[in-house]
Amino acid sequence: MTFDVGLPVFSVLAAEAGHVNLGTELGLWTLIPFASLLLCIAILPLVAGHWWEHNKSKGIVAAVCAVPIALYFATAFGQTGIHNLIEKGEEYLSFMVLLTSLFVITGGIYIRGSLSGTPLANTAMLGLGAVLANLIGTTGASVLLIRPLLRANQQRTRVAHVVVFFIFVVSNCGGLLTPLGDPPLFLGYLKGVPFEWTLQLLPQWALTNLILLVIFNIWDQMALAREDKERAGSQLEQVQHHEKLGLDGAHNLLFLLGVVIAIYASGRGLFNNDKPWPFGVQEGLMALLCGAAYTTTSKVNREKNRFSFGPIIEVAVLFAGIFVTMAPALAILNSWGKGEREVFGIAFGLDQPWQFFWATGFLSSFLDNAPTYLTFAATACGLNKVAVEGSYMREFLAIGPEAVKLLAAISCGAVLMGANTYIGNGPNFMVKAIAEENNVKMPSFFGYMAYSGAILIPTFIVVTLVFFR
């Protein structure tokens, strides 16, 4: 079977009012904007950091990549292309409303005081974050806990490893159990994965985070012991001093609960004859909760948290481009998995859970884990002849245990391996920036990968052997 990297046949234009199989008609050149945008996200912060730090610059890059694809879909594929763009737009809005709600509501909660900076207390904080990540998202848990953790360890000289493990656990691996936990799982929920389905990933969540917490505790004890030898006085006694804990803006916890209820009720079809709520209802409720939280919270709380809208604007700008440019990749991979086309003359060759786990995880390490999840989910659907339309993941899971195992592998790969690099998941760079603002010297891009290569990769090999053989 041959492939065509040029324009689709002109007969498409005549059939624009009917259904067109985008996966077979799209040329491989349509993947270039998606790959280019993701490469820009990975490389520009390293080679043009000052220019890239402005959201206007990110918007220019996103627009240059996304606008040609949007115009091409609308003009070359007519109603089919426009329908696909509208669907991606709705997914994007749902995604951003959730992230913004969690970001704003959590930003109004200020934890006063600090815990002691002992290895046991630090480990407990990371464990708490692994649980909270499933309730308020990895972004929300990271924003809420990183500053109290840094205050608890401000007397110590070796703190970088604490932040690195915080990124591993709280910003990534902890958020595996609910659609609220990490963006990939929320996108899966939007495409038909039942809200409670991810709870069956509890064994993978428990094993991964248990291994990481044990390694961290041993590492932190060794680091504190080294400080004891290098500095006068007992470092353990110094780090045991702590300020009394308190919580300002506690009423925001009710708004967080409201977001959780809205998402659950929407997916279960409560008050709508067991059918998912129409687009806009869930999003409107979350927006109202977000606005209420912002207006009823003291400005002082956000100032103490150094809250600004910059990070969420950055996410909104970049993901607008990502959601548009990933549309061809999803369609092509779905058709590739179905056997309807080849890519560079190669038939699709992945069919085992461990293959999907590592393929999804590898791309999630260097690209964004949310579109990577959707890309491989679409491919798995293609293998099982499920069309990527509407709530297609519900239909995919109904196939049986093999489909469930494939989606479990994809979910774990996307969420867990987002921790492998600073660019694997949104909160990673944010936590790094907050730590550096607090005078913690963080590892470089490749220095961080040395940590992940030594700690995470062996952990994921264990997860593979236990769950995905």
Side-chain angles (χ1 to χ4, degrees):
M1 181 176 180
T2 61
F3 61 92
D4 180 15
V5 297
L7 295 173
V9 293
F10 287 102
S11 60
V12 170
L13 295 173
E16 63 182 26
H19 178 74
V20 178
N21 188 338
L22 293 176
T24 57
E25 295 292 340
L26 285 167
L28 295 182
W29 67 268
T30 58
L31 302 179
I32 295 175
F34 181 49
S36 299
L37 178 56
L38 295 177
L39 283 174
C40 286
I41 293 172
I43 295 173
L44 287 179
L46 307 177
V47 300
H50 181 68
W51 182 82
W52 182 253
E53 69 184 14
H54 301 290
N55 285 329
K56 180 180 178 181
S57 302
K58 298 180 180 72
I60 292 172
V61 172
V64 167
C65 294
V67 170
I69 289 295
L71 291 176
Y72 180 62
F73 267 51
T75 57
F77 297 103
Q79 294 302 315
T80 298
I82 293 172
H83 173 77
N84 189 278
L85 290 173
I86 291 174
E87 186 177 70
K88 292 295 177 287
E90 291 180 348
E91 291 173 4
Y92 168 76
L93 288 175
S94 296
F95 174 75
M96 283 310 308
V97 169
L98 172 65
L99 284 189
T100 303
S101 299
L102 294 175
F103 182 79
V104 171
I105 295 172
T106 307
I109 302 173
Y110 178 70
I111 300 176
R112 288 182 276 108
S114 68
L115 297 170
S116 58
T118 64
L120 183 60
N122 287 338
T123 304
M125 181 73 89
L126 266 59
L128 173 64
V131 175
L132 283 180
N134 297 290
L135 303 177
I136 59 177
T138 52
T139 299
S142 297
V143 171
L144 187 65
L145 297 179
I146 183 57
R147 290 188 178 92
L149 182 66
L150 291 173
R151 289 199 300 269
N153 289 272
Q154 62 186 352
Q155 299 296 326
R156 298 181 55 176
T157 57
R158 286 186 167 85
V159 184
H161 70 280
V162 178
V163 182
V164 168
F165 275 90
F166 183 92
I167 294 174
F168 287 173
V169 176
V170 182
S171 301
N172 290 276
C173 299
L176 189 61
L177 298 182
T178 73
L180 291 172
D182 217 34
L185 304 182
F186 181 67
L187 292 183
Y189 174 70
L190 292 179
K191 305 313 296 181
V193 178
F195 187 92
E196 66 279 2
W197 182 87
T198 47
L199 289 174
Q200 66 184 278
L201 301 177
L202 178 61
Q204 292 91 327
W205 175 88
L207 178 61
T208 302
N209 287 290
L210 178 62
I211 291 173
L212 292 177
L213 290 176
V214 169
I215 294 174
F216 169 73
N217 187 265
I218 295 171
W219 190 310
D220 204 30
Q221 289 187 50
M222 293 173 62
L224 186 59
R226 188 178 301 175
E227 288 185 43
D228 253 333
K229 294 179 180 179
E230 295 174 350
R231 300 171 63 188
S234 172
Q235 301 308 307
L236 181 60
E237 289 181 6
Q238 291 190 36
V239 300
Q240 283 179 333
H241 293 298
H242 61 278
E243 303 172 14
K244 184 177 180 180
L245 290 173
L247 194 67
D248 294 334
H251 70 284
N252 283 286
L253 297 175
L254 295 177
F255 292 121
L256 285 174
L257 179 61
V259 171
V260 174
I261 293 173
I263 292 174
Y264 180 78
S266 173
R268 293 298 297 267
L270 300 182
F271 316 114
N272 193 41
N273 298 320
D274 296 328
K275 297 179 181 178
W277 291 358
F279 172 77
V281 178
Q282 170 190 283
E283 292 75 14
L285 282 175
M286 288 193 293
L288 287 173
L289 290 166
C290 176
Y294 187 79
T295 56
T296 60
T297 298
S298 171
K299 183 180 179 181
V300 174
N301 288 6
R302 290 189 290 272
E303 289 176 346
K304 290 179 179 178
N305 280 328
R306 298 182 183 178
F307 176 89
S308 76
F309 284 100
I312 202 66
I313 293 173
E314 176 182 347
V315 172
V317 168
L318 290 175
F319 271 84
I322 287 173
F323 269 77
V324 173
T325 57
M326 74 178 178
L330 294 176
I332 289 172
L333 281 168
N334 182 253
S335 291
W336 190 28
K338 286 181 178 178
E340 295 174 345
R341 69 176 295 164
E342 295 179 351
V343 174
F344 295 116
I346 302 173
F348 185 77
L350 305 183
D351 58 5
Q352 299 299 314
W354 71 267
Q355 294 173 323
F356 275 90
F357 175 65
W358 283 96
T360 305
F362 176 78
L363 289 183
S364 293
S365 301
F366 297 96
L367 309 177
D368 191 272
N369 61 359
T372 300
Y373 169 93
L374 279 185
T375 297
F376 279 94
T379 306
C381 287
L383 280 174
N384 290 274
K385 313 302 180 185
V386 176
V388 185
E389 298 175 353
S391 299
Y392 58 89
M393 293 308 300
R394 189 181 304 275
E395 180 182 349
F396 174 69
L397 289 173
I399 292 173
E402 292 304 314
V404 170
K405 198 166 185 178
L406 280 181
L407 186 59
I410 293 168
S411 300
C412 289
V415 174
L416 302 181
M417 294 201 200
N420 282 344
T421 71
Y422 280 136
I423 60 176
N425 198 16
N428 299 4
F429 252 130
M430 179 185 67
V431 169
K432 175 179 180 287
I434 292 173
E436 289 174 338
E437 285 179 353
N438 286 267
N439 302 314
V440 176
K441 187 177 181 180
M442 291 296 293
S444 67
F445 182 85
F446 293 107
Y448 177 89
M449 287 182 62
Y451 274 94
S452 64
I455 299 163
L456 292 179
I457 298 303
T459 300
F460 298 148
I461 290 174
V462 173
V463 171
T464 303
L465 294 174
V466 174
F467 298 107
F468 301 126
R469 286 188 299 175

